[in-house]
Amino acid sequence: MEVGLQFIFQNTHDGGMSDSEMFRRETGIAILAEEVGMDFIQAPEHHFDPGYAMMPDNMQWLAYLGAKTNRMKIGTGAIILPWWSNPTRVAEKIAMLDILLEGRFMLGFGRGLAKKEYEAFGVDMGEARERFDTAAEVILDILESGIAEYDTKFFKQSRVEIHPRPETKWREVGFQSVAMTPDSGIAAANLGAAMMSFVQLPWEQHHEAVEAWRDRFREVHPDKEPGAPVFSDFTFCHEDPDFAEEIARRYLSQYYLSVIKHYDFDGSHWGDTQGYQAYQAGADAIKEAGLEAAAEGFVQSQLWGTPEQIIEGWKQRVEMTGELRPAMAVSYAGMPFDLVENSLRLIGEKVVPELHKVSAGVAAA
């Protein structure tokens, strides 16, 4: 099992912290990840809201990290394709970064979810699914051939060759696509992408989503096997289970509230937005349960606690679902950096070596 980190870049630190200081501290955590033995890190794309996440150009950040690290893989979790007006520019950036990282780059695509980000970029959120599907295929074709030429509903490009020439044929080596809803899981499978998701529900429901993605993947790509899905928990690790629970509950609850605010999950626009109707059911469920109960459900769905508790939780997931790749979020909701660093060091020392031993067969045994 490969074990990695998912970064958020959320600046809600008590007492105030400048964006620049927070960004440098967070980058230091990413560099520490290699020191403590993590296999990969990945960064999202988010704009305009430091209370939720600030990462306007994850490929630029990854290029910096590529020069600061030597071993671990680094990837986009994810590039939000509907926010980019020119797929050729995206393909150029991917090709150049992949060359610089010499086999360490992990490619990930996403559709995006926040109404405020779509509005700021002047993109109709109702077109997001079609824009994503089109852009993803165009970019993969460019990276396959080194040639950009297309005339689609949203994107047009006269024939050009991109340079430096792409080295990696991503349809062959594998890449990832965010899948938080059933239709996104189908879209990932249609592309031939590994599923990438955040844990937010009881694992049984995520297991069902993985099975649906795998079934569709094998139907569309009978000559390929789907890769291991990537799942991100918001976690905290400490040898004292009571202290681990205290810290996890405090900061996970704060993080959950930031999610509700950023994505307007207490709103009613989802049902009227083409391609996002599945989120309206979630918003309605939050309203019906109440915010406090919904936050408690989120806290309970995450893996946090002692090293042994976290290891056992992942073993149980693998036993049910098969091969997985954890991408733990260890820094969020303004958690003090000393707690973040101590948690990460303990994960590296005691959790990662044990999870490296876990495979679907080992877990079942």
Side-chain angles (χ1 to χ4, degrees):
M1 177 186 282
E2 288 186 321
V3 186
L5 296 184
Q6 171 69 54
F7 282 79
I8 306 298
F9 292 91
Q10 187 172 47
N11 190 7
T12 55
H13 291 267
D14 292 341
M17 180 179 289
S18 69
D19 285 352
S20 56
E21 181 183 359
M22 179 268 171
F23 212 86
R24 292 182 184 115
R25 294 292 300 272
E26 200 80 357
T27 301
I29 296 297
I31 295 169
L32 176 62
E34 178 164 270
E35 177 186 324
V36 303
M38 306 305 288
D39 299 306
F40 67 91
I41 61 170
Q42 52 190 34
E45 179 186 348
H46 279 295
H47 304 261
F48 318 124
D49 185 2
Y52 179 68
M54 52 178 179
M55 175 46 73
D57 192 336
N58 49 17
M59 287 183 277
Q60 182 182 15
W61 185 68
L62 295 176
Y64 175 84
L65 282 180
K68 294 290 186 178
T69 58
N70 299 293
R71 175 190 53 79
M72 68 180 178
K73 298 175 184 177
I74 50 183
T76 53
I79 305 165
I80 308 303
L81 298 184
W83 299 342
W84 291 78
S85 60
N86 189 326
T88 303
R89 297 294 300 274
V90 180
E92 286 181 313
K93 289 167 72 71
I94 291 169
M96 188 169 69
L97 182 56
D98 179 44
I99 289 167
L100 290 173
L101 292 176
E102 300 186 77
R104 291 197 289 142
F105 182 50
M106 296 171 64
L107 176 62
F109 295 145
R111 178 174 58 146
L113 182 60
K115 181 180 179 183
K116 64 176 66 177
E117 288 173 289
Y118 269 96
E119 289 177 344
F121 284 121
V123 178
D124 183 351
M125 198 167 172
E127 298 174 351
R129 167 54 61 211
E130 193 174 358
R131 282 179 175 271
F132 172 88
D133 291 344
T134 302
E137 293 287 3
V138 164
I139 291 167
L140 291 170
D141 286 344
I142 295 171
L143 295 172
E144 185 89 12
S145 66
I147 297 170
E149 183 180 25
Y150 45 89
D151 186 351
T152 72
K153 179 179 178 180
F154 301 108
F155 314 110
K156 292 179 173 58
Q157 174 70 64
S158 59
R159 182 182 175 89
V160 291
E161 292 186 3
I162 69 167
H163 295 277
R165 300 269 310 173
E167 279 192 331
T168 302
K169 298 186 187 318
W170 291 98
R171 286 190 175 100
E172 295 179 11
V173 304
F175 62 101
Q176 304 162 12
S177 185
V178 175
M180 297 293 291
T181 60
D183 70 309
S184 291
I186 296 301
N190 290 342
L191 283 172
M195 178 180 179
M196 176 167 47
S197 193
F198 284 87
V199 177
Q200 57 181 342
L201 302 165
W203 186 256
E204 290 76 10
Q205 292 175 254
H206 288 295
H207 170 73
E208 292 175 5
V210 171
E211 289 296 283
W213 161 73
R214 282 180 176 145
D215 289 345
R216 178 62 177 175
F217 190 107
R218 288 169 175 145
E219 177 185 344
V220 178
H221 308 281
D223 57 332
K224 296 171 61 177
E225 270 297 302
V230 177
F231 273 91
S232 293
D233 283 286
F234 290 79
T235 192
F236 179 73
C237 187
H238 198 275
E239 294 283 15
D240 182 339
D242 294 332
F243 183 74
E245 180 169 4
E246 176 191 344
I247 296 299
R249 286 188 172 279
R250 180 190 309 170
Y251 291 100
L252 282 170
S253 297
Q254 293 177 21
Y255 174 76
Y256 185 77
L257 293 176
S258 75
V259 172
I260 298 299
K261 180 180 179 182
H262 181 76
Y263 291 113
D264 193 23
F265 272 131
D266 53 357
S268 58
H269 67 284
W270 302 103
D272 300 324
T273 306
Q274 179 64 33
Y276 288 89
Q277 291 89 344
Y279 286 98
Q280 189 61 56
D284 293 342
I286 291 171
K287 288 181 181 178
E288 183 177 347
L291 195 55
E292 184 176 340
E296 174 62 20
F298 176 77
V299 171
Q300 291 291 344
S301 70
Q302 309 301 303
L303 287 182
W304 43 263
T306 66
E308 294 75 21
Q309 289 173 317
I310 294 172
I311 293 164
E312 181 59 27
W314 277 107
K315 284 183 176 180
Q316 290 176 5
R317 289 175 177 179
V318 171
E319 185 172 351
M320 178 183 296
T321 305
E323 188 179 5
L324 299 167
R325 280 182 285 178
M328 305 175 190
V330 297
S331 180
Y332 49 90
M335 185 184 294
F337 278 104
D338 61 334
L339 292 179
V340 174
E341 291 176 8
N342 290 337
S343 173
L344 176 55
R345 289 185 184 278
L346 187 57
I347 289 170
E349 178 187 355
K350 295 193 174 182
V351 177
V352 172
E354 293 304 313
L355 292 186
H356 279 164
K357 303 173 186 177
V358 173
S359 66
V362 171

